Amino acid sequence: MNILVFGPNGSGKGTQGAIVQKKYNMPHIESGAIFRKNIGEGTELGKKAKAYIDRGDLVPDDITIPMILNRLQEPDCKKGWLLDGFPRNKVQAETLAKALKDAGIKLDYVIEIVLPRDVAKLRITGRRLCVNDNNHPNHIAFDAIKPVEKNGKLVCRVCGGDLKTRPDDQDDAAIDKRHDIYYDTKTGTMAAVNYFKGLKNTKVISVDGRPSIPEVSESIMKHL
Ligand code: AMP
């Protein structure tokens, strides 16, 4: 099964993607996480991507598109994949659809997590990333997923790991820019979502992202 997951930053798409990935045992390919890993390791790709990411801009297509298309050709993707964070604009959507068509690969589902922009913004600044697994949900403003305190500091509620924040999550302008791109229906991410809504053989599952994590995943799972 091959799945794309869309949602604005703060919608919980990474968390939901991880739940789907676990259930179906498929690779969870997160473009943002690939960039962050490369930045952490100081690779050439990471060096090229960093300034764009810090500002909340998209990394240019000529870097991002081959990175993802190459990743989809790795052997673990033969049994299916869940792609999260890509495509992010209409050009990426069209390029991906063409590459899949040329390779005879079917896109089975597109999951769209729908969240109003003001709610998404509130969710971003309070989220904390676990150093062991960035899909362990922790948020300082939501009781259900509040980090726990250990020896006077907040640690991951799932595994006790250290927590960190993403620099682009603490920068107001970067958050707004990421949301400008997401909610842009002309060339941005919503244009990509609408592109897939217009394809005949792809089923688009749109779910309300406002309820709790288990409720959102239940709404998704019942369609898969
Ligand atoms: P995310 O973890 O999905 O919020 O992505 C973090 C950042 O990585 C984004 O704000 C972009 O700068 C960059 N990025 C992730 N995915 C893409 C993409 N498909 N195209 C361009 N840039 C991307």
Side-chain angles (χ1 to χ4, degrees), residues 16-46:
Q16 295 300 334
I19 293 170
V20 174
Q21 178 264 331
K22 247 180 224 133
K23 174 149 185 208
Y24 294 100
N25 189 28
M26 51 185 27
H28 181 191
I29 301 164
E30 295 180 74
S31 47
I34 300 177
F35 284 130
R36 281 187 290 280
K37 184 163 181 279
N38 276 277
I39 292 171
E41 292 169 354
T43 67
E44 276 312 305
L45 177 77

Side-chain angles (χ1 to χ4, degrees), residues 190-211:
M190 281 305 300
V193 176
N194 292 334
Y195 172 79
F196 288 106
K197 283 183 176 165
L199 294 185
K200 262 188 266 136
N201 293 330
T202 300
K203 188 166 170 16
V204 180
I205 301 168
S206 292
V207 298
D208 181 359
R210 285 171 300 181

Side-chain angles (χ1 to χ4, degrees), residues 15 18-19 22 128-139 143-150 154-163 213:
T15 303
I19 293 170
K22 247 180 224 133
R128 298 290 178 267
L129 290 192
C130 170
V131 296
N132 296 327
D133 184 338
N134 70 38
N135 289 310
H136 284 170
N138 286 275
H139 197 291
D143 282 343
I145 52 169
K146 245 192 191 136
V148 293
E149 206 179 311
K150 196 172 132 196
L154 292 179
V155 295
C156 174
R157 46 177 272 284
V158 181
C159 71
D162 284 340
L163 295 175
I213 294 170

Side-chain angles (χ1 to χ4, degrees), residues 9 13 30-33 35-36 49 52-54 56-61 64 68 84-89 92 127 166 168 178:
N9 303 98
K13 86 181 149 57
E30 295 180 74
S31 47
F35 284 130
R36 281 187 290 280
Y52 297 100
I53 293 178
D54 286 348
D57 280 327
L58 290 185
V59 178
D61 286 345
T64 309
I68 294 298
D84 165 350
F86 184 96
R88 222 37 173 242
N89 60 29
Q92 293 182 4
R127 71 179 174 185
R166 278 170 47 173
D168 56 343
R178 284 187 283 158

